[in-house]
Amino acid sequence: MTELILDVHDLSIDYRTPRGKLKALRNINMQIPKGKIVGIVGESGCGKSTLIGAIINLLASNAEVTKGGIKLAEDELFNLSKKQMQALRGDRFSMVFQDPMTSLNPVVSIGNQMIDIQYRDKISKKEKAAKAAAMLDKVGIPDPESRLSQYPHEFSGGMLQRIAIAMALLVEPELLIADEPTTALDATLEVQIIYRLKELQASQGCSILFISHHLGVIAELCDEVVVMYSGEVVEKGSVRDIFHNPSHPYTQKLLQCDPAAIKHKTRDLPTILGSLPDLIEVPKGCIFAERCDFASANCHENKPKVSQLNDNHMASCHLLNEAGALYA
Ligand code: SF4
């Protein structure tokens, strides 16, 4: 049996709002096997940030877990005290945020920030500085020893993001959560960071949860992909399954909208028509029905069941047969 580092099981989260309860996540099931990279894709509003907030236990004060849980290896995270949870952050899992300018302290040198993050290690400050410099070197920061004394504003955006990755990996986490870490970077830097991350993951053996809008990056980096739409997992599978045999109409539309998939010159980029449903009054049938080209009366009335398409590949759509083909 595959050993899991993260197991999100049947997780549902609501936000209390003046209009009523907004059901941000509903019955989420997703797993990250040890040593694997799992990507999450989906439009803004699909629930990626709420899911991350739940994993690191930093949800907004109006959030309410109504069902399910999250296991980090053997630990059920919602059963842990605040102190126990604090001990896990920056130790067994660490995080790289989208904007390194706001995740690094602007008035503390990079070196001191990288030394501070090793506060659990019983080694001298000099050894911690040497470890920090070695990690900066691994993420491709030239002349790392002398750069330890510099401040965040003295680095470019790409370098800062590499420093943020170096800091997250310095603690040798079992799980690294990377939330759109390359979105703010230009394409060349994005490629460099992806390759660096892949190398480091292979050498450290950690697992990665990688969130991105960029399908090309997900295809390049990840082993498995989870597709989310409006607070639900609609499809998940290996990178090959998702990119070569997408079975849910939403996944198919997402792939069609990837600019890299457009082979001819055009001024009109494809889009998915319509907008996300109101999650205060969640539709009773398929969550994608309003925007789906294949929607039938059944889709508007009844929730589709999960179809297991192969050992690793599943999708929730009324039109799926066991082979994963869509009926015309
Ligand atoms: Fe489209 Fe119906 Fe499948 Fe939903 S269940 S994705 S509406 S075909």
Side-chain angles (χ1 to χ4, degrees), residues 112-124:
N112 279 339
Q113 294 189 58
M114 293 185 81
I115 289 169
D116 286 349
I117 207 167
Q118 301 174 68
Y119 71 96
R120 290 185 180 92
D121 295 348
K122 305 281 176 258
I123 52 174
S124 68

Side-chain angles (χ1 to χ4, degrees), residues 234 247-250 285-296 298-300 302-304 316-320 326:
V234 293
S247 298
H248 194 281
Y250 176 62
C286 170
I287 192 68
F288 188 54
E290 286 300 326
R291 303 170 80 183
C292 181
D293 297 339
F294 304 96
S296 64
N298 184 28
C299 300
H300 288 281
N302 300 302
K303 280 239 168 285
S316 303
C317 172
H318 285 303
L319 299 182
L320 286 171
L326 281 175

Side-chain angles (χ1 to χ4, degrees), residues 14-15 17-24 26 230 232 275-288 290 300 303:
D14 292 355
Y15 287 110
T17 75
R19 279 182 58 221
K21 286 195 173 178
L22 186 145
K23 295 158 195 77
R26 298 171 311 284
S230 274
E232 292 179 16
S275 49
L276 295 167
D278 180 0
L279 294 185
I280 290 177
E281 301 289 343
V282 179
K284 65 175 177 176
C286 170
I287 192 68
F288 188 54
E290 286 300 326
H300 288 281
K303 280 239 168 285

